[in-house]
Amino acid sequence: MGRLRDGVFVVTGVSSGLGRALAREALAAGHRVVGTVRTEDALVEFERSAPGRAFGRRLDLTDTAAVPALVAGIQRHLGQVDVLVNAGYGHEGTVEESPLSELRHQMEVNFFGTVALTQAVLPLMRARRRGHILTVTSMGGIITLPGIAYYHASKFALEGLFESLGKELRTFGIHVTCVEPGGFRTDWAGRSLVRSERHVADYDEVMGPIRKARLERHGNQLGDPAKAARAMLAVLDAEHPPAHLVLGSDALSLVREKLSALEREMTTWESLSASTDLDKGER
Ligand code: NAP
């Protein structure tokens, strides 16, 4: 890597998927990685992957109270954090059928856990006037599909917060990139996905095919996690890193479709939208 040498990465969720792939690539590029996991077995496996450079830490992202001590420990041990990469999970279910407790958990992990870790590493990054926060949101942080509204809510929330944060940190030399993957071959749509109980027959027609299609797609997604990891490393290396990085051809076309539809709708309603300003004489 060019811009970043001998960096310290903090990566949440290195037990599988994109987090694991990124940790592997970062370790292969010579960096040190603090990876969070939820089991002792995963911790041992991670540390064995690169003894002396892969450091496992137990963290459930719902436990935001544990985050400051975890980051203080990293600072004592390694003295710096150059890159923070955040993980999460998916929830599937209609808004009417899915209990609020499932929304709260989705937000606790994907949003509040991520923000807590970010707040904790910011003083270290700010003191050194360097750092890069990669937040893995999703194409679902820009586009929406029916049946995963809670997931979208958590990812749209991340997009808003981190896009704004990037502007706050610009003068400190700290970069923020929202990474928006399409479908990648990870455990996201398998063991990690929380499927809400179905109990309103009216939604059978909309949810039946969605659930079936997602089950069929699992394991057949286009995206290669190792390539996503290399793309994220390329962004860390860039002179002018992007605020958003869409990953995958599926994500590219769906996001483009959304942006064009939004533009078309704004044009259709433009005169009504522009009609609400005070009249010139009233300003
Ligand atoms: P994954 O293979 O299921 O990995 C999810 C990781 O998050 C696992 O390491 C898991 O740990 C960890 N995790 C889940 N809940 C946690 C919690 N409460 N506290 C701490 N760690 C927790 O899925 P992935 O695809 O790599 O997902 C990574 C991120 O990419 C997610 O934010 C996901 O929404 C996003 N994403 C994925 C795709 C895709 O198609 N794969 C597309 C767009 C966005 P355990 O092993 O302990 O469960």
Side-chain angles (χ1 to χ4, degrees), residues 31-222:
H31 301 293
R32 288 168 289 167
V33 178
V34 180
T36 78
V37 290
R38 289 194 291 177
T39 66
E40 197 55 33
D41 284 353
L43 190 149
V44 169
E45 188 192 327
F46 178 64
E47 293 200 333
R48 274 198 192 130
S49 71
R53 287 192 303 119
F55 309 101
R57 296 285 185 278
R58 295 279 293 274
L59 177 70
D60 190 304
L61 280 162
T62 56
D63 187 8
T64 50
V67 167
L70 184 141
V71 172
I74 296 170
Q75 183 177 17
R76 274 197 306 279
H77 183 194
L78 299 168
Q80 68 196 68
V81 173
D82 299 284
V83 179
L84 172 67
V85 188
N86 292 302
Y89 75 95
H91 173 276
E92 185 191 78
T94 66
V95 172
E96 189 179 338
E97 291 174 298
S98 308
L100 270 187
S101 57
E102 291 181 0
L103 174 59
R104 287 215 168 86
H105 194 265
Q106 179 79 116
M107 296 300 290
E108 287 296 341
V109 176
N110 289 9
F111 183 69
F112 287 103
T114 295
V115 176
L117 256 177
T118 303
Q119 283 184 327
V121 303
L122 277 178
L124 312 185
M125 289 186 172
R126 208 166 27 74
R128 298 175 69 232
R129 290 296 196 260
R130 59 177 296 169
H132 202 135
I133 298 163
L134 287 168
T135 295
V136 183
T137 69
S138 169
M139 65 177 175
I142 304 177
I143 66 144
T144 59
L145 301 166
I148 52 167
Y150 286 1
Y151 180 66
H152 287 312
S154 71
K155 298 296 189 176
F156 271 61
L158 286 173
E159 288 275 337
L161 188 137
F162 281 87
E163 196 179 280
S164 172
L165 177 66
K167 293 172 183 172
E168 292 175 6
L169 299 178
R170 197 168 282 158
T171 56
F172 303 139
I174 303 169
H175 301 285
V176 178
T177 302
C178 290
V179 179
E180 293 120 0
F184 277 78
R185 254 176 236 195
T186 69
D187 291 344
W188 185 89
R191 72 171 175 101
S192 300
L193 186 68
V194 173
R195 292 188 163 87
S196 203
E197 293 247 345
R198 297 281 338 281
H199 54 88
V200 181
D202 270 350
Y203 289 108
D204 287 356
E205 208 173 310
V206 63
M207 273 313 282
I210 289 171
R211 202 154 264 188
K212 184 163 172 282
R214 187 161 288 118
L215 283 166
E216 283 167 5
R217 257 199 320 274
H218 178 51
N220 297 306
Q221 297 93 336
L222 273 181

